[in-house]
Amino acid sequence: HILSRLKRYNDATWQQEASARVDHAHMMRDRIMPDRIHNFAHNNEWLTRNLSQAGRVRRALAMAKNMIELPRLPNVKPDGTWSFPSRSSHSYGRRHLYAILTGYELWNEIIKLKDTHYLLPGKSTAEKAKYWRLLACAYINTDRPEEGKTLLAKMGSLLNSQREGKTKAGATAEAKAKKEKKKTRDIKKAKSDAERPYSTAISTLERGLAEARMYLALKTKNLEEAKAQYSKVRDFRSERKALLQLKFGNQDEAIKLAASAVKSATEQARPLAAQAYIFHRANKPDEANTAMKHLRRIAPELDLDVEWFRRLNPLAKALNLPPDWRLAQ
């Protein structure tokens, strides 16, 4: 807690690994399942988060996948129905895996994992929408646009059916409430409650279609169409927005968004790397050098082979840094 509050994420991971080792010894000695130990899942999801914040992407991915692999302990109701807790290792692992893959734009890794239990969605429409969005963007960004377009067609069809379902469910609930002579506010509530299950999937599909179409437009250098689709996405992190604005040719906006990302995610490797790259591309050597120094100081073990950091190699060369430009911890 202390090291995380001090934004010393790489140092925090050492303590979190030590905590995990204590729990592992406890499990082996007393034959206890992982999620039966208080805070085991939370400690390890926090470790995964801190690894990502420190730029240790490969370790973060390994941790997220390991959490998905662990035995799942369902909550069982007296009637025999069951569900998995939202704070279980498996739930945390899935959440972080998606966050790392999208945040670092690991398109090749997504393709590699697409048919595995790590990524394959559950039965809900919202999960399917999230998965298709991830996969469509990965296809387009790995030069497989036709496969991406096939998924776009499926997403469009699913979106239409979800919109129809939402309208029908809302109308049915509204008519029933009116027939029962309920108050106006209760009628509105009944309608919104009936529509809610469809809303998450609709939002995910709308944003996913826009993101994928934006990448398609960027591939064909159609910047106006790319910008139009970009405006519909609405859930990009600031550092990703900054890099996209750079692609659109809006250097000032890219610099502004990168600064916002660094400010809101203090001492984190991903926004700092984006800022250093943008400054270098914008021919601002002093600012690029400052951002690079900051990144090297806070992320001594970041993964140089991940594209998010590998794109900084030209800047490192311009600063006369060695091929392995990380600072010793």
Side-chain angles (χ1 to χ4, degrees), residues 35-69:
D35 282 8
R36 289 293 187 217
I37 293 176
H38 173 67
N39 262 353
F40 173 85
H42 170 54
N43 175 74
N44 285 285
E45 72 85 16
W46 197 351
L47 167 57
T48 306
R49 194 166 5 123
N50 282 179
L51 285 166
S52 177
Q53 289 164 337
R56 297 167 69 184
V57 185
R58 302 293 180 203
R59 290 291 296 279
L61 275 176
M63 280 299 303
K65 288 163 73 176
N66 177 249
M67 293 184 79
I68 294 168
E69 292 162 359

Side-chain angles (χ1 to χ4, degrees), residues 188-208:
K188 286 182 178 178
K189 184 177 184 303
K191 183 183 178 185
S192 67
D193 286 349
E195 292 174 342
R196 190 172 297 116
Y198 297 90
S199 298
T200 301
I202 288 171
S203 174
T204 303
L205 287 163
E206 287 174 341
R207 293 174 181 184

Side-chain angles (χ1 to χ4, degrees), residues 256-277:
K256 181 180 172 183
L257 283 165
S260 173
V262 169
K263 184 177 179 181
S264 63
T266 312
E267 302 294 283
Q268 293 184 26
R270 192 167 62 215
L272 268 169
Q275 186 181 52
Y277 175 75

